[in-house]
């Protein structure tokens, strides 16, 4: 059982601490909380007294978390986020008769996840309010740990600590090339076949961990371009400035007569797409049911269609 002083902590104090760290300054945090600066300062001091540890180091211009403060903040954010979501869940249930579930998804998998969620709703779960969050995998996993979302479909290269992860499918890297490029006519490519050509790839997400080692081993061309959005990647490929290197899921909606998607082999480099959630009891029964549904449905969706090019034109395979 927790010591009695610690049990005297209030949710309001935790909310004050979370907002103060986010704002980085007592004055701004007090205005946002609609309280006086001395009241905020006293609340933080009371927290530190109850915890028996200093949470912040204070200076004239900024606040910094102590090591203990950083650990307390992670748990504080989880409690505050969970409380706020629980209130919204209660409001949604009471006022609309609906459960409230928050889903995180990487953009490249959004089509599959949205289609599966629609099947779930049509299968007898119409009284559900879904909230969607699309972001890179590292952001989704951080929000999952802090209680901001209930589940996430994310791409990983290593198992993330503190989360339950269910493998859904593998998503290999492919090349996006101009349709008149020799690799397009070949139908597939090896890393060695890239030769001295420049690549363009995403600067964040799973691409650095996936593409950089293989490129360093097999491709000796100039340093690749690094971009944030697929539109920019396609534009550079279309202009003949680079070959695009990206996960195959991103190409499932590509409909460009100037570009072709080429499987990249030897080695076949893949990212793991997983369904992740916090271990332990779920916030509501519907969230549990949706996780179970996605766990079964998403692997059955099949791999994204890959466009291959032969001498007779474009053909597809699964």
């Amino acid at each position: 059982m927790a010591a009695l002083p610690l049990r005297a902590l209030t949710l309001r104090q935790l909310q004050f601490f979370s907002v103060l760290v986010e704002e980085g300054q007592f004055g701004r945090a007090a205005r946002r909380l609609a309280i006086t600066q001395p009241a905020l300062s006293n609340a933080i001091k009371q927290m530190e007294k109850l915890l028996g540890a200093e949470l912040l180091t204070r200076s004239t211009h900024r606040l910094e978390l102590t090591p203990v403060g950083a650990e307390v903040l992670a748990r504080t954010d989880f409690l505050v986020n969970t409380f706020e979501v629980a209130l919204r869940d209660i409001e949604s249930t009471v006022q609309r008769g609906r459960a409230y579930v928050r889903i995180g998804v990487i953009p490249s998998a959004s089509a599959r996840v949205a289609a599966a969620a629609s099947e779930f709703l049509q299968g007898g779960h119409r009284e559900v309010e879904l909230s969607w969050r699309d972001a890179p995998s590292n952001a989704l996993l951080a929000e999952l740990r802090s209680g901001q979302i209930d589940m996430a479909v994310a791409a990983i290269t290593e198992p993330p600590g503190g989360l339950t992860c269910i493998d859904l499918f593998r998503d290999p890297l492919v090349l996006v090339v101009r349709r008149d490029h020799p690799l397009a006519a070949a139908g597939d490519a090896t890393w060695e076949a890239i030769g001295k050509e420049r690549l363009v790839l995403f600067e964040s997400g799973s691409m650095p961990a996936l593409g950089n080692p293989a490129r360093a081993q097999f491709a000796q061309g100039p340093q690749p371009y690094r971009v944030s959005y697929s539109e920019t990647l396609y534009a550079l490929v279309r202009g003949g400035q680079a070959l695009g290197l990206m996960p195959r899921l991103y190409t499932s909606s590509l409909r460009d007569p100037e570009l072709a998607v080429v499987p990249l082999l030897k080695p076949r480099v893949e990212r793991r797409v997983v369904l992740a959630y916090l271990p332990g009891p779920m916030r509501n029964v519907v969230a549990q049911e949706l996780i179970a549904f996605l766990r079964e449905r998403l692997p059955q969706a099949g791999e994204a269609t890959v466009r291959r090019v032969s001498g007779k034109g474009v053909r597809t395979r699964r």
Side-chain angles (χ1 to χ4, degrees):
M1 181 177 291
L4 289 177
L6 186 58
R7 284 181 172 269
L9 277 173
T10 67
L11 179 62
R12 187 170 176 80
Q13 288 171 325
L14 297 175
Q15 289 171 322
F16 285 0
F17 178 53
S18 180
V19 171
L20 176 59
V21 174
E22 186 176 332
E23 293 294 340
Q25 187 185 75
F26 275 93
R28 287 199 300 266
R31 287 191 294 273
R32 176 174 160 184
L33 292 165
I35 62 174
T36 65
Q37 189 168 328
L40 176 58
S41 180
N42 288 335
I44 301 303
K45 288 178 181 177
Q46 183 65 20
M47 272 192 71
E48 291 177 323
K49 181 178 179 180
L50 292 170
L51 291 167
E54 190 177 48
L55 301 176
L56 298 160
T57 56
R58 301 158 175 84
S59 67
T60 305
H61 301 292
R62 63 180 180 178
L63 298 171
E64 290 187 359
L65 287 166
T66 64
V68 172
E71 292 294 331
V72 171
L73 178 66
R75 290 152 181 81
T76 295
D77 284 345
F78 177 78
L79 287 171
V80 170
N81 289 330
T82 301
F83 176 74
E84 291 177 352
V85 170
L87 287 181
R88 182 168 178 180
D89 201 11
I90 292 170
E91 178 188 33
S92 181
T93 301
V94 171
Q95 295 184 0
R96 306 180 187 88
R98 295 181 177 181
Y100 177 59
V101 180
R102 304 156 302 163
I103 306 173
V105 60
I106 50 175
S108 56
S110 58
R112 287 195 190 188
V113 178
S118 296
E119 288 184 33
F120 178 79
L121 295 175
Q122 293 165 8
H125 294 84
R126 295 182 181 276
E127 300 304 319
V128 181
E129 180 180 352
L130 298 181
S131 172
W132 292 90
R133 164 73 167 141
D134 60 334
S137 295
N138 55 352
L140 293 177
L141 296 178
E143 292 176 14
L144 191 57
R145 290 190 183 95
S146 67
Q148 295 173 261
I149 54 179
D150 296 309
M151 66 196 75
V153 174
I156 64 171
T157 53
E158 297 292 336
L163 298 174
T164 298
C165 287
I166 299 168
D167 277 287
L168 297 175
F169 51 86
R170 300 298 177 103
D171 186 23
L173 298 187
V174 296
L175 285 178
V176 179
V177 302
R178 282 172 55 108
R179 190 149 320 261
D180 57 3
H181 192 282
L183 288 177
D188 54 38
T190 66
W191 285 88
E192 290 180 318
I194 295 172
K196 301 293 184 181
E197 299 208 49
R198 187 188 293 271
L199 295 172
V200 54
L201 52 101
F202 295 132
E203 62 183 351
S204 61
S206 56
M207 281 307 302
L210 288 174
N212 289 347
R215 179 190 168 276
Q217 183 176 356
F218 295 102
Q220 302 300 320
Q223 283 297 313
Y225 296 124
R226 300 182 186 276
V227 300
S228 298
Y229 301 101
S230 56
E231 291 86 349
T232 308
L233 185 149
Y234 295 147
L236 291 174
V237 175
R238 201 179 294 112
Q241 299 186 45
L243 306 182
L245 178 66
M246 64 197 312
R248 188 167 68 187
L249 270 180
Y250 276 94
T251 68
S252 60
S253 60
L254 178 60
R255 303 288 185 271
D256 191 320
E258 297 183 54
L259 302 178
V261 178
V262 180
L264 186 54
L265 312 174
K266 296 182 182 179
R268 178 182 163 105
V269 180
E270 301 173 318
R271 62 178 184 167
R272 292 169 58 193
V273 179
V274 301
L275 176 61
Y277 54 92
L278 283 169
M282 292 297 295
R283 187 173 47 79
N284 62 49
V285 174
V286 177
Q288 297 176 10
E289 293 175 348
L290 179 55
I291 284 176
F293 184 86
L294 295 178
R295 178 177 184 171
E296 296 300 321
R297 179 68 185 87
L298 289 176
Q300 298 172 7
E303 295 185 340
T305 300
V306 179
R307 283 170 296 283
R308 300 188 61 185
V309 178
S310 67
K312 297 180 180 180
V314 181
R315 58 194 176 99
T316 64
R317 67 177 179 90
R318 290 284 179 179

